[in-house]
């Protein structure tokens, strides 16, 4: 008599209650397990193959997770936090996932004991606030202008990466490139360090890693347009253009009606004259070098080479901007409006070099370069990709320290110290909240524990020893030596991490855990594109 | 009796009628209510919704949940629309409105089972609704005019308590109230208005929720067109343009016929010069920040750079309008004037204390701080990932709506089930005074309202039966014993599971949201109750070639 009442579309699946909560925990754990082995100096790389057959070799958490396709929605949001971490501070992408996974695991026992998620979340929130305070207390400030101090930090960031073997070189490169692009903005009174735009990493396969260097200038993958042009100029006057040196039709649609053949000749002549006029404008400013973002016609090349000017065409906009910052010029858009100030004279040497089969243009020995190119050499494209990722991380770390010169001991020492203080605090707490709070403290130990695991030492013994160390006063800098698996004073090992990275790791991990714990219902297959069957025409909310 | 199974008169459709259809509708309504039930109240939890593509939404907002669900049943759709309507009308209380409506239907169905005609139930509900709103306005509201900022903040906190930002409500409530006050203006009639839509909410992942900031000014998600432009301008004069600063180009289809080749060259030159002249005209007025909805050609950037001005292209028109309003600029859609020439007047410029480009996360934003004419507000939300930021935005929107309602209607009611419990007692007493068959319906209405305190208690894992009984006892005392009138503010404390005075505890809601949700829920219930026949037509087979939609679908299948 009574047929089943169909409320939702039959395609959608719905899960709710405890099952969802535990499912979310499991998903978070799984994601954390994927990259657990990528933490610490004894970490291993992962090789990923994408559907197109390309390979990625990396131990960067973000780079790995980016390639993985997951089904579970909670896992998706886990993956996203790695990206957040990468974009915000650039390092710690692996730790954030491991920590978030562990925070979810820590909550699992309470969910099983039927504790209300809001209680757990309130405790987590409190824990996060306390963590931030403790981190601020534990941190040590340093002087970012001190090269040797900076090197130590960058070195510990690099320590876990593939380029560890070339740590000294990489440190120097990271510090040099970042300090090149520092711009103290008088008007805003803030330090601007724009690595993304002005410190470009160029990878040239071939050679060995030791050949890599930070140029005091810019390099572009281009050759001169005309073989007769000079390939080496000292103290060049550089003119940067973003218009083409070709005859172009106007934007409007124009038709021409010619009544006699002389007119046709006239047109051709005009085109020539146009080129001639434009080039003579340029020549009158006596540059040695002309860069343009657009094309240069054969005729223009001829005029320029006759005037002993070297021209390079089809530059990328970003490259042009970098050259402008390196040599102090302005990018001009109309040849007739060039002024003397627009010409860049800051560069010391222009040179075209050949690596393998390709020509590269170097503008180096700049007086006060505010932009630079990092030239990476190496055996293969895949290795170079990984080196670039590592170097980016190192540069980000350098940047963070320069902006906020506060450090924390690495190697799991901070986590142990924070956990210790929080455990003390939890003793004085009343109510149910103290248990999740304490669980957070315990969960922090996952970082030293994973470090120990990854180098194959005895986890329980070492963690216990470390805990005992931290129980005594004044040992807050003791952590795990990721190479040997022994406990060690991080002051002696010189393993330091910037506060900004640590803070962001904790914040992101905890807040994600809070978000995921609040969920008690998952409905999948909700609408977006209207399904095949169903009512179709009258969607409940038309938007 | 067997009409519903197969009616020969109706071609190509299904027909259900009579009692069956009502029961089905009620069933559908309660299943919708069940879905959103667990998200009510300060201890409610969130839902995770995954769509066909795999995009994830995490939300606590009833309207958002129902909007994203693929609901098929027509009666259930009415409820989804109801939530949406509540969202548009008042912005908050979307979950409770669905719960009440479903409960009303459930109880009405029981009455109908005992052979009371739906029209009697309907008139009873109407009467009850009217009386309930009247009673609430007379006895339960607290005028907020003299209660100041604290009350507003408390209202916001109540609204936020169920949301993801509940743990940080201290920070966000202040932020929301400040933002609403910043966009306040007094309209022609002298009434203060709070156009909350002009509070610009931007999301950037990174940092933590606590580091969300309120900016006095307007933030635009754009960057300056050229890196050589200044990143900060103090004492900005802002020109808001709604046209391209690209090479002038004839509109489509216009051909230019040239006979003399030399003219061609002139035309090319002219194309460049027209834009150049335009820029020069704008620059001549002293403008140093140029915002345009269109593009700016690279070759024109140099003029800005040389003049030390900021040029921003591809600003959304919506944003630009607000910027213009706040800074006192006129949105200029063309430079042409009545004389047929082009001009740009200095009075069209807007003013702000400073315009600055700042880096947030991996992105850059342009802030227009301290606009001269009207204050503006932008909130920048930070969070662990985009999903969280989206949910924070929805919560903030609800909170802003609450502020608007409180400040505009100037009255609040205590939350936490107080109003519902009080109304249910009142209506029960009232029902006994009605000597007609509506009495039963009114009593059921009274009973239905209790669903709110019941659900609240249930979500908090408290003994709902006992708590609600206690609560009712308090309100009964308050209404019958003039000495204990103060007990009328009693409501639930869900964390500890006791009854407390919710007025002094600061659990407050705007009265408008309450009255609207009762009214809307009643209307929706009545709409569904009136139905006694459901005809569902099979999709019509179209003759003569497939429609566009079908072609699209079959095309998709081919892929």
């Amino acid at each position: 008599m009574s047929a089943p009442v169909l409320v939702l579309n039959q395609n959608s699946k719905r899960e709710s209650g405890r099952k969802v909560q535990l499912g979310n925990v499991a998903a978070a754990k799984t994601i954390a397990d994927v990259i657990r082995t990528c933490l610490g100096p004894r970490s291993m790389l992962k090789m990923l193959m994408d559907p197109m057959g390309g390979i990625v070799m990396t131990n960067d958490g973000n780079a790995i997770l980016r390639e993985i396709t997951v089904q579970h929605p909670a896992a998706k949001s886990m993956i996203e936090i790695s990206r957040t971490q990468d974009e915000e501070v650039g390092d710690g992408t692996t730790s954030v996932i491991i920590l978030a996974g562990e925070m979810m695991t820590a909550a699992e026992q309470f969910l099983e004991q039927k504790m209300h998620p809001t209680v757990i979340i309130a405790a987590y929130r409190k824990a996060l606030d306390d963590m931030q305070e403790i981190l601020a207390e534990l941190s040590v400030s340093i002087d970012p202008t001190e090269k040797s101090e900076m090197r130590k930090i960058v070195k510990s960031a690099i320590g876990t990466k593939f380029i560890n073997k070339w740590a000294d070189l990489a440190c120097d490169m990271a510090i040099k490139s970042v300090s090149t692009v520092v711009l103290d903005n008088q008007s805003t009174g803030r330090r601007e360090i724009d690595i993304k735009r002005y410190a470009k990493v160029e990878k040239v396969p071939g050679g060995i890693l030791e050949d890599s260097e930070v140029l005091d200038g810019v390099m572009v993958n281009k050759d001169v347009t005309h073989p007769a042009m000079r390939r080496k100029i000292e103290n060049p006057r550089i003119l940067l253009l973003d218009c083409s040196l070709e005859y172009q039709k106007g934007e409007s649609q124009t038709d021409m009606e010619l009544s006699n053949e002389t007119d046709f000749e006239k047109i051709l002549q005009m085109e020539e004259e146009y080129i001639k006029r434009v080039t003579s404008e340029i020549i009158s400013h006596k540059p040695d070098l002309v860069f343009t973002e657009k094309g240069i016609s054969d005729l223009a090349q001829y005029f320029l080479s006759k005037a002993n000017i070297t021209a390079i065409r089809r530059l990328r906009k970003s490259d042009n901007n970098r050259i402008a910052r390196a040599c102090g010029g302005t990018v001009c858009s109309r040849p007739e409006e060039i002024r003397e100030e627009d010409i860049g004279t800051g560069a010391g040497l222009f040179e075209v070099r050949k690596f393998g089969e390709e020509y590269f243009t170097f503008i180096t020995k700049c007086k006060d370069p505010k932009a630079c190119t990092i030239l990476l050499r190496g055996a293969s494209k895949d290795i170079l990709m990984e080196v670039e990722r590592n170097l980016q991380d190192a540069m980000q770390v350098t940047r963070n320290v320069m902006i906020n010169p506060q450090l924390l001991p690495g190697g799991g020492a901070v986590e142990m110290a924070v956990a210790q203080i929080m455990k003390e605090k939890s003793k004085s707490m009343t109510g149910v909240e103290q248990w999740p709070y304490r669980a957070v403290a315990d969960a922090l130990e996952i970082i030293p524990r994973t470090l120990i695991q990854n180098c194959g030492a005895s986890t329980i013994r070492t963690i216990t020893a470390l805990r005992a160390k931290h129980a005594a006063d004044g040992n807050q800098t003791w952590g795990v030596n990721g190479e040997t698996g022994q406990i060690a004073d991080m002051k002696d090992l010189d393993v330091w991490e910037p506060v900004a990275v640590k803070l962001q790791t904790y914040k992101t991990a905890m807040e994600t855990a809070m978000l995921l714990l609040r969920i008690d219902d998952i409905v999948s297959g909700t609408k977006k594109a209207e399904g095949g069957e169903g009512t179709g025409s009258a969607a409940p909310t038309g938007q | 009796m067997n009409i519903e199974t197969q009616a020969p008169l109706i071609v190509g459709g299904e027909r259900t009628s009579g009692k069956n259809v009502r029961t089905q509708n009620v069933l559908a309504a309660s299943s919708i209510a069940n879905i959103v039930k667990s998200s009510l109240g300060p201890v409610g939890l969130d839902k995770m919704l995954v769509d066909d593509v795999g995009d994830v939404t995490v939300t606590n907002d009833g309207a958002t949940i129902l909007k994203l669900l693929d609901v098929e049943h027509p009666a259930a759709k009415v409820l989804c629309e109801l939530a949406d309507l509540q969202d548009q009308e008042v912005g908050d209380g979307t979950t409770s409105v669905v719960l009440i409506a479903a409960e009303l239907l459930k109880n009405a169905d029981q009455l109908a089972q005992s052979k009371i005609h739906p029209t009697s139930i309907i008139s009873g509900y109407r009467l009850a609704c009217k009386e309930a709103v009247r009673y609430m306005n007379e006895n339960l509201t607290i005028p907020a005019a003299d209660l100041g900022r604290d009350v507003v903040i408390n209202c916001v906190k109540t609204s936020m308590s169920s949301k993801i930002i509940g743990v940080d409500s201290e920070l966000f409530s202040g932020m929301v109230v400040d933002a609403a006050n910043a966009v306040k203006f007094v309209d022609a009639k002298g009434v203060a208005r709070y156009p909350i839509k002009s509070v610009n909410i931007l999301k950037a992942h990174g940092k933590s929720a606590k580091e969300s900031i309120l900016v006095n000014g307007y933030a635009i998600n754009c960057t300056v067109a050229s890196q050589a432009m200044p990143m900060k301008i103090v004492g900005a004069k802002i020109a808001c343009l709604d046209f391209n600063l690209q090479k002038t180009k004839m509109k489509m289809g216009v051909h230019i016929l040239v006979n003399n080749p030399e003219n061609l060259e002139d035309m090319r030159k002219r194309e460049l010069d027209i834009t150049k002249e335009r820029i020069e005209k704008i620059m001549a007025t002293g403008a140093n920040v140029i915002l345009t909805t269109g593009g700016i050609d690279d070759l024109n950037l140099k003029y800005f750079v040389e003049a030390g001005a900021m040029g921003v292209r591809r600003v959304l028109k919506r944003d630009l309008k607000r910027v213009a309003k706040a800074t006192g600029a006129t949105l200029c859609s063309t430079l042409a004037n009545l004389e047929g020439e082009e001009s740009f007047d200095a009075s069209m410029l807007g003013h702000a204390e400073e315009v600055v480009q700042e880096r947030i996360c991996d992105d850059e934003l342009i802030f227009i701080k301290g606009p001269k004419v009207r204050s503006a507000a932008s909130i920048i939300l930070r969070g662990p990932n985009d999903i969280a930021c989206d949910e924070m935005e929805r919560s903030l929107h609800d909170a802003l709506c609450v502020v608007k309602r409180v400040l505009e209607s100037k009255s609040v009611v205590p939350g936490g089930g107080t109003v519902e419990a009080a109304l249910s007692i009142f209506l029960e007493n009232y029902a006994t005074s009605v000597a007609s068959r509506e009495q039963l319906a009114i009593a059921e209405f009274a009973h239905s309202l209790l669903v709110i305190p019941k659900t609240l208690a249930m979500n908090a894992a408290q003994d709902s039966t006992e708590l609600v009984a206690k609560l009712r006892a308090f309100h009964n005392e308050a209404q019958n014993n003039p000495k204990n009138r103060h007990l009328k503010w009693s409501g639930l404390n869900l964390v500890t599971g006791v009854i407390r005075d919710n007025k002094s505890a600061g659990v407050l809601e705007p009265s408008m949201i309450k009255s609207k949700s009762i009214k809307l829920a009643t209307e929706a219930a009545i709409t569904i109750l009136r139905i006694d026949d459901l005809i569902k037509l099979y999709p019509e087979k179209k003759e003569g070639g497939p429609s566009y939609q079908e072609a699209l679908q079959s095309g998709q299948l081919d892929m």
Side-chain angles (χ1 to χ4, degrees):
Chain A
M1 184 65 176
S2 62
V5 184
L6 298 176
V7 180
L8 292 179
N9 190 330
Q10 277 165 297
N11 290 333
S12 55
K13 270 188 291 190
R14 183 168 169 231
E15 280 185 349
S16 54
R18 187 127 293 132
K19 206 170 144 204
V20 167
Q21 291 167 344
L22 297 180
N24 283 347
V25 173
K29 251 201 267 187
T30 318
I31 294 290
D33 280 340
V34 171
I35 56 168
R36 196 179 293 277
T37 57
C38 296
L39 190 80
R42 290 278 184 204
S43 67
M44 304 300 273
L45 296 194
K46 301 236 175 274
M47 191 178 224
L48 302 163
M49 206 157 161
D50 63 26
M52 309 293 287
I55 51 167
V56 181
M57 278 188 291
T58 183
N59 76 347
D60 183 68
N62 183 31
I64 297 169
L65 294 177
R66 207 170 39 201
E67 303 290 331
I68 297 178
T69 2
V70 288
Q71 280 290 318
H72 199 281
K76 265 189 197 138
S77 74
M78 282 287 285
I79 285 177
E80 242 192 79
I81 60 171
S82 180
R83 203 182 100 213
T84 310
Q85 178 80 8
D86 190 46
E87 286 181 11
E88 185 71 27
V89 288
D91 197 19
T93 47
T94 311
S95 356
V96 72
I97 296 283
I98 293 180
L99 208 56
E102 192 62 19
M103 290 300 164
M104 293 293 284
T105 318
E108 191 178 13
Q109 45 168 325
F110 301 114
L111 291 176
E112 271 166 4
Q113 288 164 13
K114 314 249 159 85
M115 192 183 273
H116 201 286
T118 46
V119 178
I120 306 178
I121 289 165
Y124 272 32
R125 179 87 247 177
K126 193 165 162 24
L128 177 59
D129 289 347
D130 288 348
M131 275 182 197
Q132 296 185 19
E133 263 170 47
I134 298 169
L135 283 188
E137 275 169 33
L138 288 177
S139 64
V140 199
S141 4
I142 56 142
D143 179 14
T145 50
E146 191 74 36
K147 270 268 161 63
S148 59
E149 291 282 320
M150 291 294 286
R151 283 182 62 130
K152 281 183 206 160
I153 306 150
V154 180
K155 217 169 179 176
S156 48
I158 287 174
T160 63
K161 308 276 155 69
F162 175 75
I163 45 170
N164 194 13
K165 284 212 183 74
W166 298 272
D168 285 325
L169 177 75
C171 283
D172 287 337
M173 283 177 26
I175 294 172
K176 189 177 171 196
S177 58
V178 175
S179 42
T180 307
V181 296
V182 173
L183 196 67
D184 277 313
N185 196 329
Q186 264 82 32
S187 55
T188 49
R190 276 179 318 148
R191 282 204 136 167
E192 279 177 16
I193 304 178
D194 198 338
I195 299 172
K196 201 168 67 180
R197 286 209 182 87
Y198 297 117
K200 169 91 178 155
V201 178
E202 291 280 356
K203 304 171 292 260
V204 183
I208 47 173
L209 262 175
E210 278 86 343
D211 293 340
S212 308
E213 59 173 332
V214 178
L215 305 171
D216 43 1
V218 181
M219 183 201 84
V220 280
N221 183 3
K222 289 280 179 291
D223 190 13
V224 295
T225 47
H226 195 276
M229 289 172 176
R230 284 184 292 168
R231 284 219 160 85
K232 187 170 181 179
I233 306 171
E234 280 177 25
N235 295 322
R237 285 165 58 82
I238 302 174
L239 175 65
L240 301 165
L241 294 172
D242 67 358
C243 60
S244 68
L245 298 179
E246 283 167 344
Y247 186 80
Q248 273 184 324
K249 281 186 292 181
E251 292 275 327
S252 310
Q253 257 186 331
T254 37
D255 291 339
M256 219 182 306
E257 234 168 56
L258 303 177
S259 35
N260 51 17
E261 67 266 42
T262 50
D263 275 355
F264 188 68
E265 217 153 90
K266 215 168 164 187
I267 296 168
L268 293 178
Q269 206 182 352
M270 259 182 43
E271 292 189 8
E272 266 176 41
E273 261 168 27
Y274 170 79
I275 300 279
K276 205 168 179 175
R277 207 182 60 239
V278 168
T279 45
S280 64
E281 290 276 357
I282 293 171
I283 292 164
S284 69
H285 287 91
K286 300 195 191 58
D288 299 309
L289 255 178
V290 173
F291 287 97
T292 176
E293 285 168 33
K294 308 271 165 63
I296 302 178
S297 72
D298 289 350
L299 193 66
Q301 284 172 32
Y302 166 74
F303 285 126
L304 290 175
S305 71
K306 219 170 64 175
N308 206 10
I309 294 170
T310 303
I312 289 169
R313 64 181 164 187
R314 302 204 196 288
L315 241 68
R316 267 175 301 182
K317 179 105 207 150
S318 54
D319 283 333
N320 214 0
N321 277 334
R322 265 194 292 280
I323 297 177
R325 280 247 310 220
C327 70
T330 321
V331 181
C332 299
S333 45
R334 285 176 80 171
E336 54 268 39
E337 286 170 3
I338 301 167
R339 294 175 305 174
E340 179 57 33
E341 308 91 271
D342 297 339
I343 292 185
T345 52
L349 179 70
F350 158 77
E351 198 181 8
V352 178
R353 280 190 234 160
K354 191 178 174 195
F355 291 126
E357 287 298 298
E358 281 188 87
Y359 289 94
F360 294 89
T361 300
F362 287 79
I363 297 156
T364 48
K365 295 189 183 156
C366 297
K367 269 176 227 136
D368 185 23
K370 284 282 165 232
C372 64
T373 300
I374 300 150
L375 178 62
L376 285 185
R377 307 297 314 270
S380 77
K381 193 110 192 151
D382 294 323
I383 292 177
L384 281 176
M385 296 280 273
E386 175 64 0
V387 172
E388 184 191 351
R389 272 192 290 271
N390 295 169
L391 202 63
Q392 292 284 8
D393 281 4
M395 276 158 41
Q396 293 281 5
V397 168
T398 320
R399 178 176 167 266
N400 288 328
V401 178
M402 283 192 169
I403 290 176
N404 181 9
Q406 300 260 310
L407 295 185
L408 288 168
V414 193
E415 280 77 15
M416 290 306 289
V418 173
Q420 181 66 29
I421 297 173
M422 283 175 66
K423 268 185 229 166
E424 279 302 315
K425 249 192 178 163
S426 73
K427 283 181 191 156
S428 61
M429 285 170 79
T430 52
V432 214
E433 284 192 1
Q434 63 170 301
W435 302 111
Y437 187 89
R438 182 176 287 224
V440 170
D442 283 332
L444 280 174
E445 284 179 8
I446 188 73
I447 301 281
R449 201 181 305 143
T450 312
L451 282 176
I452 301 167
Q453 254 164 22
N454 285 351
C455 61
S458 159
T459 322
I460 298 172
R461 198 169 296 161
T462 324
I463 278 284
T464 321
L466 197 58
R467 244 185 243 161
K469 241 331 177 228
H470 275 270
D473 272 346
N475 285 334
Q476 284 174 334
T477 52
W478 280 73
V480 179
N481 180 342
E483 301 274 349
T484 59
Q486 306 293 321
I487 62 168
D489 192 344
M490 289 299 131
K491 266 193 222 145
D492 302 335
L493 273 182
D494 269 339
V495 177
W496 298 94
E497 285 176 89
V499 171
V501 173
K502 261 286 137 19
L503 268 179
Q504 185 61 44
T505 313
Y506 287 1
K507 283 179 203 161
T508 312
M510 296 294 282
E511 287 195 353
T512 310
M514 286 187 243
L515 175 79
L516 292 180
L517 285 176
R518 277 183 66 94
I519 294 162
D520 77 333
D521 207 331
I522 298 184
V523 186
S524 50
T526 54
K527 70 176 163 227
K528 199 141 233 189
E530 199 75 23
E533 70 266 55
T535 42
S537 58
T541 45
Q543 257 202 337
Chain B
M1 269 312 271
N2 268 341
I3 305 168
E4 67 261 32
T5 44
Q6 200 64 57
L9 278 177
I10 294 167
V11 201
E14 246 178 79
R15 182 173 171 205
T16 346
S17 58
K19 212 164 63 188
N20 259 355
V21 69
R22 196 170 305 116
T23 320
Q24 276 185 19
N25 285 345
V26 170
L27 207 60
S30 31
S31 68
I32 287 290
N34 272 337
I35 293 177
V36 290
K37 209 177 204 171
S38 69
S39 65
L40 186 79
V43 275
L45 293 173
D46 290 0
K47 308 257 169 263
M48 188 177 239
L49 302 155
V50 191
D51 67 17
D52 294 352
V53 198
D55 283 348
V56 182
T57 314
V58 173
T59 186
N60 181 277
D61 182 47
T64 315
I65 298 171
L66 294 180
K67 205 183 276 180
L68 287 171
L69 282 180
D70 194 358
V71 176
E72 273 200 346
H73 196 278
K77 269 185 194 165
V78 173
L79 280 199
C80 294
E81 276 169 33
L82 171 70
D84 197 35
L85 199 66
Q86 171 86 0
D87 192 36
Q88 284 169 15
E89 283 266 307
V90 284
D92 198 18
T94 46
T95 311
S96 37
V97 75
V98 172
L99 286 186
I100 296 177
E103 194 66 18
L104 284 175
L105 278 175
K106 208 158 96 191
N107 289 332
D109 190 45
Q110 271 165 15
L111 285 182
Q113 303 263 352
S114 49
K115 304 278 185 254
I116 293 176
H117 197 274
T119 47
S120 311
I121 304 174
I122 290 171
S123 61
Y125 274 11
R126 281 240 165 83
L127 197 62
C129 173
K130 212 176 87 196
E131 281 302 315
V133 173
R134 188 188 57 78
Y135 181 77
M136 185 181 85
N137 284 337
E138 280 172 14
N139 292 306
L140 291 168
T141 53
I142 310 161
D146 47 329
L147 289 176
R149 186 182 156 97
D150 284 353
V151 173
V152 186
I153 287 201
N154 278 333
C155 287
V156 175
K157 274 190 191 159
T158 311
S159 154
M160 277 180 183
S161 63
S162 62
K163 306 282 159 63
I164 187 172
I165 51 179
V167 267
D168 295 321
S169 61
E170 202 67 43
L171 169 80
F172 284 105
S173 54
M175 189 182 275
V176 166
V177 174
D178 287 344
N181 274 322
V183 294
K184 167 187 178 179
F185 76 98
V186 179
D187 68 3
K189 285 180 205 144
V191 185
R193 295 257 162 225
Y194 298 87
I196 46 148
K197 269 195 186 140
S198 52
V199 176
N200 192 14
I201 300 179
L202 291 169
K203 295 163 283 184
H205 58 206
K207 292 264 173 71
S208 78
K210 280 218 157 156
E211 272 143 297
S212 302
I213 42 168
L214 172 71
V215 182
N216 171 25
Y218 204 82
I220 313 173
N221 195 358
C222 290
T223 51
V224 291
S226 156
Q227 287 307 307
M229 288 175 180
M231 297 293 176
K232 178 180 176 176
I233 286 179
V234 182
K237 292 180 186 145
I238 303 164
C240 299
L241 311 178
D242 190 18
F243 53 85
N244 277 335
L245 285 176
Q246 277 166 328
K247 255 199 229 173
T248 323
K249 183 170 150 185
M250 283 299 167
K251 292 279 180 303
M252 222 176 22
V254 176
H255 281 243
I256 301 168
L257 210 55
V258 188
N259 281 321
N260 188 350
E262 270 148 41
N263 293 345
L264 193 68
E265 181 56 30
D266 290 342
M267 297 223 347
R268 268 169 41 81
K269 203 160 171 328
R270 193 68 204 129
E271 278 182 0
L272 294 175
D273 284 341
I274 290 177
T275 321
K276 188 185 166 188
E277 280 163 20
R278 281 187 182 163
I279 293 172
E280 274 166 0
K281 266 177 197 139
I282 295 166
M283 291 304 198
T285 58
N288 49 19
V289 177
I290 287 90
L291 308 174
T292 171
T293 52
I296 304 177
D297 257 350
D298 282 352
L299 57 121
N300 292 322
L301 289 178
K302 192 167 172 271
Y303 308 124
F304 294 104
V305 175
E306 276 167 10
M310 261 172 143
V312 184
R313 56 187 162 193
R314 309 256 174 248
V315 181
L316 288 181
K317 192 152 184 180
R318 184 164 49 90
D319 285 337
L320 200 62
K321 272 185 188 156
R322 302 228 181 98
V323 170
K325 229 180 217 169
T327 59
T330 317
L331 186 60
C332 177
S333 54
T334 172
L335 286 180
N337 58 13
L338 287 176
E339 279 87 57
E341 283 162 8
E342 295 199 323
S343 65
F344 190 77
D345 197 48
S347 63
M348 311 268 270
L349 292 178
H351 298 269
E353 267 161 36
E354 74 176 27
V355 176
V356 63
Q357 175 175 327
E358 275 178 34
R359 186 185 150 162
I360 288 199
C361 188
D362 222 14
D363 232 357
E364 266 129 6
L365 298 180
I366 288 185
F367 292 94
I368 295 164
K369 289 181 183 166
K372 281 281 145 57
V373 175
R374 255 169 59 185
S375 54
S378 295
I379 294 173
I380 294 164
L381 291 176
R382 312 301 309 267
N385 54 26
D386 293 341
I387 302 169
C389 288
D390 286 345
E391 171 61 3
M392 281 161 70
E393 187 194 359
R394 278 188 289 272
S395 314
L396 271 197
H397 171 258
D398 283 6
L400 278 169
C401 288
V402 169
V403 178
K404 179 184 155 93
R405 296 301 165 202
V406 174
L407 291 176
E408 281 180 7
S409 70
K410 294 213 187 303
S411 72
V412 291
V413 290
T418 310
V419 173
E420 287 81 4
L423 287 182
S424 92
I425 296 286
F426 163 74
L427 286 177
E428 262 171 27
N429 292 337
Y430 174 73
T432 41
S433 70
V434 178
S436 63
R437 60 180 76 189
E438 274 88 29
Q439 187 193 57
L440 283 172
I442 296 173
E444 287 303 331
F445 192 97
H447 189 59
S448 308
L449 286 178
L450 286 179
V451 70
I452 299 286
K454 247 186 225 160
T455 314
L456 284 176
M458 209 137 70
N459 284 345
Q462 306 287 359
D463 187 346
S464 67
T465 325
E466 198 192 319
L467 259 184
V468 173
K470 253 192 215 163
L471 185 63
R472 276 166 60 88
F474 269 91
H475 281 284
N476 192 41
E477 182 70 16
Q479 284 175 26
N480 293 329
N481 192 345
K483 255 187 259 165
N484 286 332
R485 283 212 68 126
H486 64 275
L487 285 177
K488 70 177 176 179
W489 309 123
S490 322
L492 298 172
N493 176 354
L494 293 164
V495 182
T496 52
V498 290
I499 312 287
R500 65 166 170 198
D501 183 348
N502 266 348
K503 187 191 171 195
S504 52
V507 180
L508 299 169
E509 286 173 273
S511 54
M512 182 176 174
I513 289 184
K514 265 280 132 59
S515 59
K516 263 272 165 9
S517 62
I518 292 176
K519 278 185 207 157
L520 282 177
T522 316
E523 287 299 325
I526 289 172
T527 316
I528 296 177
L529 271 182
R530 289 189 74 93
I531 299 168
D532 79 331
D533 210 330
L534 175 75
I535 302 167
K536 194 171 168 187
L537 292 179
Y538 295 129
E540 218 173 300
K541 291 273 177 296
K542 285 207 183 81
E543 305 278 317
S547 71
Y548 172 71
Q549 202 102 35
E550 282 162 23
L552 199 72
Q553 267 165 9
S554 61
Q556 272 172 340
L557 288 175
D558 287 344
M559 289 225 293

